[in-house]
Amino acid sequence: MTQRLPSLTSLRWFAALIVFGTHIFPLIEGSSLERGFHRIGEHGAVGVSFFFVLSGFVLAWTYRDGDSARAFYLRRFARIAPAYWAASILAFVVIAGVESDLTPSRVARAMFSFVALQSWIPDSRAYLGGNPVGWSLSDEMFFYALFPLIIVPAFRASRRSLLVAAAGCVLFTAVVAPLALAPGNASDGFRLWALKISPVVRISEFILGIALALLLRSGARLPRRRALTWCAVASSIAAYAAAGWAPTYLALGSLTLVPFSLLIVCFAQRDMDGETGWLHSPVLITLGLWSFCFYLVHQLVIRVIADVVTITGGPAVRLGYVALSLLFAIGISAAMYRVIEHPLERRLRGRSRRGGATQPAQPPVSAEVATSPG
């Protein structure tokens, strides 16, 4: 059985939290906080880049040679579908009951979200229809579909080939795609879809995670220096801050890709070496386990509060609404995890085993990962 990586579970919570920050605009609009939001919170969608790399990393980390594609797909369905569909139904409730906007055209666009195909449509009304954050899950469905085809040759690749693949993914994400779609080369709407939403473009981050995990599994190691870990933390924070001042086509993930990847590798290596630290806090690990549900519901919670309550007042009052939204989202995500996500995942996995699917030992729950949104 692969080794537990609890630090990565905790990091999922922080990635989900910065995604939450990118959606609080309705609660602070018109206040003195709005200007700071555009520099600090608006680009929180870079958290999705972290999740894409982490998703590939954890799936490759927990992969067992000989695992069948059918078993993998069944496990992914059990992991993702219950919470995703519950949040999709909740989105319909919000659209109909709170926003009173259940028009035929909006329902038609939202149905793409319900079947996780929305990210293939270069129209924001479609890829943000239904539950808007679901577009990243649509990307993940594409990644999962290709994973059995990618992992088999990657698992047998040499360390040098994995390094070349990792470097190629970084080059593509950080240089090739932004330059190809820089201002003047495509319409603004298409460029935003291509750089932020398109599964074909974003899969490079997922493949990078696979390559990094397999490098660690092959015995490759970074220098065991605590300073390197703190450098990864500091560079991730600095890159995130810099993204608030960078052009959109660079701020969507290019600036943070290498620091986020280094962060994942450093903390995974610390866990492998048996080191413990603040990321092993039971509270943070629990929040990390709830982070998938939190990602799915947080924007819906913000929309409901913004529509039901007349948002007025100074910065302190607005921050109070943000804190209230955060607490409600955490509470709902905890309930969803305990009532829907975790029990239904176990039940569906049990049925797949009884149905005769080849099922390797279940990976440690602290290493399981699902993506978050932007």
Side-chain angles (χ1 to χ4, degrees):
M1 181 178 287
T2 48
Q3 190 172 352
R4 289 177 178 268
L5 303 174
S7 293
L8 301 191
T9 302
S10 296
L11 286 175
R12 285 171 54 190
W13 166 247
F14 291 101
L17 198 58
I18 65 172
V19 174
F20 170 85
T22 202
H23 293 136
I24 64 170
F25 182 73
L27 303 177
I28 63 172
E29 183 179 9
S31 73
S32 59
L33 298 171
E34 185 177 339
R35 184 175 181 180
F37 168 80
H38 291 303
R39 294 300 183 193
I40 299 173
E42 191 174 33
H43 55 287
V46 298
V48 178
S49 180
F50 178 90
F51 278 105
F52 285 165
V53 177
L54 184 62
S55 182
F57 185 97
V58 173
L59 290 180
W61 181 257
T62 57
Y63 173 75
R64 294 184 58 165
D65 195 15
D67 188 17
S68 70
R70 180 173 181 268
F72 170 78
Y73 292 142
L74 287 172
R75 291 196 304 276
R76 287 293 89 195
F77 178 84
R79 177 71 180 88
I80 300 298
Y84 180 81
W85 278 337
S88 297
I89 294 170
L90 184 60
F92 275 102
V93 173
V94 171
I95 292 170
V98 179
E99 299 177 353
S100 301
D101 188 25
L102 205 62
T103 60
S105 61
R106 187 161 187 186
V107 171
R109 292 193 296 268
M111 289 308 299
F112 287 106
S113 173
F114 198 76
V115 295
L117 291 175
Q118 67 271 40
S119 66
W120 293 96
I121 304 171
D123 183 339
S124 61
R125 294 172 300 175
Y127 63 72
L128 297 180
N131 188 7
V133 300
W135 70 262
S136 66
L137 272 297
S138 180
D139 282 14
E140 288 278 358
M141 294 302 106
F142 176 63
F143 304 163
Y144 296 160
L146 295 184
F147 180 77
L149 302 177
I150 297 170
I151 192 62
V152 173
F155 195 75
R156 293 166 173 75
S158 66
R159 192 178 297 177
R160 180 178 180 180
S161 297
L162 291 171
L163 284 169
V164 170
C169 290
V170 171
L171 181 67
F172 177 80
T173 301
V175 180
V176 176
L179 286 180
L181 294 162
N185 295 339
S187 68
D188 289 343
F190 179 83
R191 186 169 64 251
L192 180 63
W193 169 80
L195 287 173
K196 180 181 178 182
I197 308 295
S198 170
V200 175
V201 172
R202 300 305 297 263
I203 197 173
S204 60
E205 294 152 278
F206 180 76
I207 295 174
L208 173 60
I210 292 174
L212 294 175
L214 294 180
L215 281 167
L216 281 184
R217 288 183 61 155
S218 73
R221 294 290 184 274
L222 292 172
R224 291 185 59 185
R225 295 189 180 94
R226 182 165 294 185
L228 181 62
T229 301
W230 287 110
C231 178
V233 173
S235 62
S236 295
I237 295 172
Y240 174 79
W245 301 87
T248 300
Y249 65 94
L250 292 177
L252 290 174
S254 299
L255 289 176
T256 55
L257 182 61
V258 171
F260 282 174
S261 299
L262 181 62
L263 190 71
I264 291 170
V265 171
C266 282
F267 279 102
Q269 188 169 297
R270 282 172 60 89
D271 286 348
M272 292 170 64
D273 294 338
E275 297 183 38
T276 59
W278 59 280
L279 287 178
H280 287 232
S281 161
V283 173
L284 288 179
I285 291 174
T286 299
L287 288 170
L289 293 174
W290 296 347
S291 62
F292 178 45
C293 291
F294 176 84
Y295 167 76
L296 290 173
V297 303
H298 76 272
Q299 192 180 23
L300 298 176
V301 171
I302 292 172
R303 284 163 59 183
V304 169
I305 291 178
D307 286 342
V308 171
V309 180
T310 302
I311 307 295
T312 58
V317 175
R318 301 302 187 94
L319 290 175
Y321 285 124
V322 172
L324 183 66
S325 300
L326 179 62
L327 291 174
F328 270 121
I330 291 174
I332 294 171
S333 64
M336 280 184 63
Y337 177 81
R338 295 181 182 279
V339 176
I340 297 174
E341 180 188 349
H342 188 54
L344 290 184
E345 178 188 2
R346 294 183 65 180
R347 184 174 299 181
L348 289 170
R349 287 196 182 205
R351 287 181 178 177
S352 70
R353 286 193 292 269
R354 289 195 298 272
T358 302
Q359 187 84 358
Q362 183 175 340
V365 69
S366 60
E368 271 290 335
V369 66
T371 191
S372 250

